[in-house]
Amino acid sequence: MRKNHAIKIRTLLLLIYVLLILWGTVFSREQRTVRAFAGLFWEAQNHLWNFIVLNVLMFVPLGFLFRSITDSKKSVLFGFILSVFIELTQYVFCLGKCELDDVLNNTLGCGLGILLWMGSSWMFLRQWDDLPDFMKTEEVKPYYEVLRKKKLSL
């Protein structure tokens, strides 16, 4: 029951964050008169490092939250598809510059979020049932119990 509740909360947070991303990249933009497209590495060639960093950072929480719900492959794929959707929407409705760099940087940010989730999940002692099968051995159980008694588990 506790695990199911946590997944529902993470899913709600993910939905809210996706809506925030869409608001900032699509819904809050003013329509232009001309469609704009920039090829791969355009931002790097023009030394727009702040845009690169911001695009990466924008998708880190997305990867972190999505990975907390499902596996890594689906998480990266979701980040990629969302980024492509944003760029195509910007291009079709003249809402900004459609940049291949953004798709690459957003997907990279999503991947970094996934890595952060994976790293953080190993920093805390899990419940016995949540441990990977290879760790659920009779040799490990006494050590787990000692750590649990010292309240090192979540």
Side-chain angles (χ1 to χ4, degrees), residues 29-103:
R29 300 270 177 109
E30 301 244 351
Q31 194 168 18
R32 296 178 175 185
T33 56
V34 180
R35 286 188 176 94
F37 177 80
L40 196 57
F41 304 120
W42 178 83
E43 288 177 340
Q45 291 169 352
N46 290 292
H47 307 289
L48 301 173
W49 306 113
N50 57 334
F51 289 113
I52 293 171
V53 170
L54 288 175
N55 275 307
V56 170
L57 291 178
M58 180 173 54
F59 270 62
V60 169
L62 181 83
F64 187 88
L65 288 169
F66 205 87
R67 177 59 184 93
S68 73
I69 298 168
T70 188
D71 64 70
S72 297
K73 289 180 184 177
K74 289 178 185 172
S75 302
V76 170
L77 184 61
F78 180 78
F80 174 76
I81 289 171
L82 180 62
S83 184
V84 168
F85 171 78
I86 290 167
E87 296 305 316
L88 286 176
T89 303
Q90 288 178 347
Y91 182 76
V92 169
F93 295 104
C94 301
L95 297 173
K97 190 176 288 185
C98 175
E99 298 180 45
L100 293 178
D101 285 354
D102 289 353
V103 174

Side-chain angles (χ1 to χ4, degrees), residues 14-25 58:
L14 176 66
L15 179 64
I16 291 169
Y17 194 73
V18 168
L19 290 174
L20 284 172
I21 289 174
L22 290 174
W23 176 259
T25 58
M58 180 173 54

